[in-house]
RNA sequence: CGGGAUGUAGCGCAGCUUGGUAGCGCGUCUGGUUCGGGACCAGAAGGCCGCAGGUUCGAAUCCUGUCAUCCCGACCA
């Protein structure tokens, strides 16, 4: 491709709407343009990257036995009403009506369609397992689209759905996908981690997320410094240190704490360390008031609480409601003498002497003991994991980092097949519901994640397997015949060797061409300049290293091919 | 939906307090000189000042409404 003919509108300045690096670079380098909030157009370079990513995904899905289908984006409401998700999905579902006023949505995911499809045409255990996948646009009317491609309202997603006869079959399909996902992210050359995850609204049992490691990631993950345990903090198990029985302490006492409302207030003014306090948080669980208690220096994990309560909606309680039930406002509340279902974190019963609110404004209790002064509806793991916590699987300790969720695999089980009455006949002629799994990869988000992880002050540094082009040839001055002829010859050679190559034939100064080459992140740059050309040499620069090497002009094509081959290798392990 | 901010040329911004029909840098076009890391000179094109009302002789500027975009939060395959 000749640069003079290529549509890649690069920008010198950062558009003001972008403030994460991937968004900035993708806009500046001319890979994407915003069409409306959360909806983007992929320009030629951007679309080439998308195609590279989807091709890797496609190959690995096919290798694992998947078959690609194309499903509709416009989906009828009835299908979603049958599964019960038309109402559950809420405002995030992008709904529309046709001229007859019939309701539809733009598919946020395709469980309903695929399950209905498979049910219509798969009737026997002999046809299972079946793995079907799609790579398409999906739609979620996000409350707040942000970070460019990272959280859009229209996005490209690969979803594979597995149908098995039983749970053992699902385990096999799930394992195939897990391996396929590892291969995919290795081939994409992204630094990633597979973590245990909460399955959230999708439902089902086991679930893993694939996180591209990046400071700007929206997800927090913990991982063990000794074994391979890793989990989303939403999911990470907190096992309390196996401590001795808590020591005895004297009778509970009441202390006056005028104006002291927060954990920090008590720590500062009363010299009560945060880990000697508890915080009592009030929620309404499907309309009913509940309280949760964690140690003063811990964070309550709302997802764990929500899972424990098995409720649909969990909201922070209104202060007026709490005051009416408990007799005090936020800042003076505690678990003693409460007439509210009480969920207590595992650590709390281990505490020697607890300080907490007294359910009376401006007073606190001290020397409170669990079991003696209050008891819980349930004692369970409720807090969020933190760096330094003991690993739940070994003697190691947890470390924390951030990640971008680029893949998520779920064991759905019977959820959708039962809801949609999707069954097959087993060996004994019995009707059985399909046992399902679903496996997603955010393709457009993966492109953003790759940039997030591979850039420098000059622009993007594409990993070879997903670079829009492998190499770019830059004649310093294309008006000089000998430079142009050398450039053209190398260009022809590389094309014949199957290299995806750009030739910057624009009538621009060298600096402009270098800046653009760096900005769009082409891995290899071949520079043809007057001095080296006299020695029958050209310069070769690897974008990811920055140094240039002189190389004989008739060897450069072979060298470029060798480098591409080497840089495209899957880094296994 | 709550909080904050911004809409002025393709991009980045000034002008608004103190009303007088719009300016800078980059980019674009023409000509010339240049030519190894975003050149220089000369000229030019390009704006319904987000939209709709209102105040006023007169509104980018003041008032009201509305729409859009971005940030923080709640939310999240």
């Amino acid at each position: 491709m000749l640069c003079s003919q290529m549509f890649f509108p690069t920008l010198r300045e950062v558009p003001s709407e972008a403030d994460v690096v991937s968004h900035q670079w993708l806009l500046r380098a001319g890979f994407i343009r915003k069409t409306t909030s959360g909806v983007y157009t992929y320009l030629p370079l951007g679309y080439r990257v998308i195609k590279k990513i989807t091709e890797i995904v496609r190959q690995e899905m096919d290798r694992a036995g998947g078959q690609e289908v194309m499903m509709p984006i416009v989906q009828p409401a009835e299908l979603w009403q049958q599964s019960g998700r038309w109402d559950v999905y809420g405002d995030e579902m992008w709904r529309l009506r046709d001229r007859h006023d019939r309701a539809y949505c733009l598919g946020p995911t395709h469980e309903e369609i695929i399950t209905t499809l498979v049910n219509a045409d798969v009737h026997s255990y002999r046809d299972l397992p079946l793995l079907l996948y799609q790579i398409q646009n999906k739609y979620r009317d996000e409350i707040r689209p942000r970070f460019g491609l990272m959280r859009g309202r229209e996005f490209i997603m690969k979803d594979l759905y597995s149908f098995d006869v039983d749970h053992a079959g699902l385990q096999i399909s799930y394992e195939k996908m897990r391996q396929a996902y590892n291969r995919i992210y290795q081939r994409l050359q992204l630094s990633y981690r597979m973590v245990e995850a909460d399955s959230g609204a999708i439902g089902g049992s086991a679930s893993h997320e694939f996180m591209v490691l990046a400071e700007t990631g929206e997800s927090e993950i913990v991982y063990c410094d000794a074994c391979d345990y890793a989990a989303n903090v939403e999911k990470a198990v907190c096992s309390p240190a196996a401590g001795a029985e808590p020591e005895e302490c004297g009778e509970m006492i009441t202390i006056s704490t005028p104006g002291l409302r927060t954990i920090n207030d008590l720590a500062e003014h009363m010299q009560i360390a945060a880990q000697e306090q508890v915080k009592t948080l009030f929620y309404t669980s499907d309309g009913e008031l509940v309280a949760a208690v964690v140690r003063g220096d811990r964070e309550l994990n709302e997802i764990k609480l929500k899972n424990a309560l098995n409720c649909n909606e969990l909201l922070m309680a209104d202060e007026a409601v709490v005051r009416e039930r408990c007799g005090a406002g936020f800042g003076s509340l505690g678990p003693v003498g409460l007439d509210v279902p009480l969920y207590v974190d595992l650590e709390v019963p281990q505490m020697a002497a607890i300080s907490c609110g007294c359910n009376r404004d401006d007073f606190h209790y001290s020397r409170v003991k669990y079991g003696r002064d209050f008891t819980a509806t349930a004692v369970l793991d409720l807090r969020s994991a933190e760096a330094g916590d003991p690993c739940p699987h070994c003697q190691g300790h947890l470390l924390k980092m951030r990640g971008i969720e680029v893949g998520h695999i779920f064991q759905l089980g019977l959820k959708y097949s039962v809801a949609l009455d999707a069954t097959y006949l087993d060996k004994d002629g019995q009707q059985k519901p399909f046992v399902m799994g679903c496996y997603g990869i955010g393709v457009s988000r993966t492109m953003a994640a790759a940039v997030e992880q591979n850039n420098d002050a000059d622009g993007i540094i594409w990993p070879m397997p997903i670079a829009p082009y492998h190499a770019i040839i830059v004649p310093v001055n294309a008006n000089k015949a000998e430079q142009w002829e050398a450039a053209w010859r190398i260009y022809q050679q590389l094309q014949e060797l199957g290299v995806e190559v750009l030739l910057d034939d624009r009538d621009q100064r060298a600096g402009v061409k270098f800046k653009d080459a760096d900005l769009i992140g082409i891995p290899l740059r071949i520079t043809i300049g007057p001095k080296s050309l006299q020695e029958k040499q050209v310069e070769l620069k690897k974008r990811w290293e920055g140094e240039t090497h002189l190389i004989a002009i008739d060897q450069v094509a072979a060298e470029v091919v060798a480098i591409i081959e080497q840089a495209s290798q899957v880094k296994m392990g």
Side-chain angles (χ1 to χ4, degrees), chain A residues 190-363:
Chain A
L190 297 175
S191 168
Y192 76 102
R193 190 116 192 182
M194 185 181 77
V195 304
E196 294 180 9
D198 185 80
S199 49
I202 284 271
S205 44
S207 166
H208 288 87
E209 288 168 331
F210 290 78
M211 298 284 191
V212 165
L213 306 178
E215 274 310 307
T216 45
E218 289 189 273
S219 307
E220 271 193 309
I221 65 176
V222 292
Y223 62 99
C224 178
D225 60 6
C227 72
D228 60 4
Y229 177 76
N232 192 312
V233 283
E234 292 174 350
K235 173 78 176 177
V237 176
C238 301
S239 37
E245 283 292 299
E247 327 151 16
E248 287 305 308
C249 73
E251 289 289 295
M252 181 169 90
I253 56 169
T254 306
I255 53 176
S256 171
T257 52
L260 305 182
R261 296 174 54 85
T262 66
I263 300 284
N264 278 341
D265 288 345
L266 266 89
E268 271 178 40
H269 298 281
M270 306 299 290
Q271 281 73 51
I272 303 169
Q275 56 266 36
E276 292 167 16
Q277 305 180 41
V278 297
K279 53 177 124 176
T280 309
L281 301 161
F282 289 79
Y283 285 85
T284 48
S285 161
D286 291 340
E288 194 162 332
L289 192 68
V290 300
V293 181
V294 295
R295 219 170 73 181
D297 57 332
R298 303 301 197 187
E299 288 298 320
L300 175 74
N301 184 327
E302 291 188 8
I303 291 181
K304 288 180 181 176
L305 179 61
K306 191 174 175 187
N307 287 341
L309 292 164
N310 196 23
C311 63
N312 284 323
E313 189 185 57
L314 185 70
L315 298 168
M316 288 286 279
D318 187 70
E319 180 158 10
V321 173
V322 174
R323 178 176 289 280
E324 213 228 325
R325 271 293 276 285
C326 307
F330 294 164
S332 301
L333 293 162
V336 179
L338 266 192
D339 174 30
V340 169
L342 195 60
Y343 295 85
V344 168
D345 182 66
L346 293 168
E347 280 183 332
V348 173
Q350 296 188 326
M351 294 168 69
I354 298 166
S355 293
C356 61
C358 186
N359 302 323
R360 188 175 148 204
D361 286 334
D362 295 332
F363 288 92

Side-chain angles (χ1 to χ4, degrees), chain A residues 98-116:
Chain A
D98 69 7
R99 63 170 70 196
H100 306 294
D101 204 35
R102 285 183 296 235
Y104 296 84
C105 68
L106 301 180
T109 174
H110 285 69
E111 280 88 4
E112 278 76 1
I113 300 264
I114 195 88
T115 308
T116 305

Side-chain angles (χ1 to χ4, degrees), chain A residues 107-171:
Chain A
T109 174
H110 285 69
E111 280 88 4
E112 278 76 1
I113 300 264
I114 195 88
T115 308
T116 305
L117 174 86
V118 168
N119 187 45
D121 289 295
V122 176
H123 309 292
S124 164
Y125 71 94
R126 293 172 191 273
D127 300 325
L128 300 176
L130 184 61
L131 309 180
L132 297 176
Y133 74 96
Q134 51 158 185
I135 301 174
Q136 291 176 226
N137 275 343
K138 303 213 174 187
Y139 297 81
R140 301 218 177 120
D141 195 0
E142 290 282 348
I143 296 174
R144 182 149 88 82
R146 58 184 130 179
F147 306 148
L149 255 33
M150 218 67 103
R151 181 162 293 268
R153 296 196 293 169
E154 174 181 85
F155 49 92
I156 304 168
M157 172 104 84
K158 185 281 306 181
D159 259 319
L160 182 142
Y161 302 94
S162 67
F163 296 82
D164 279 284
V165 293
D166 57 17
H167 203 260
L170 170 59
Q171 293 302 326

Side-chain angles (χ1 to χ4, degrees), chain A residues 327-472:
Chain A
F330 294 164
S332 301
L333 293 162
V336 179
L338 266 192
D339 174 30
V340 169
L342 195 60
Y343 295 85
V344 168
D345 182 66
L346 293 168
E347 280 183 332
V348 173
Q350 296 188 326
M351 294 168 69
I354 298 166
S355 293
C356 61
C358 186
N359 302 323
R360 188 175 148 204
D361 286 334
D362 295 332
F363 288 92
H364 280 76
Y365 288 129
S366 244
R367 297 194 205 150
V368 172
K369 278 194 77 66
Y370 178 82
R372 183 187 71 186
D373 302 314
F374 70 99
T375 55
T377 309
V379 177
L380 66 175
D381 175 14
L382 284 181
R383 72 176 177 94
S384 287
E386 289 168 21
D389 282 353
C391 171
H393 287 184
C394 76
Q395 299 303 306
H397 291 273
L398 298 182
L399 299 170
K400 210 167 181 179
M401 68 168 93
R402 304 192 73 86
I404 300 163
E405 179 191 344
V406 290
H408 199 159
I409 61 180
F410 299 85
Q411 296 187 12
L412 296 175
L414 305 176
K415 179 169 173 169
Y416 295 93
S417 45
V418 167
L420 296 164
D421 196 25
T423 59
Y424 67 94
L425 285 179
D426 73 5
K427 280 191 179 103
D428 307 318
Q430 299 283 315
Q431 288 223 327
K432 293 262 184 71
F434 296 107
V435 181
M436 292 174 57
C438 82
Y439 315 86
I441 287 181
V443 173
S444 40
R445 181 186 279 188
T446 297
M447 176 161 94
V451 175
E452 206 67 44
Q453 210 171 62
N454 298 286
N455 67 82
D456 65 12
D458 294 315
I460 304 171
I461 307 170
W462 290 108
M464 192 65 79
I466 57 173
Y469 288 89
H470 298 133
I472 181 167

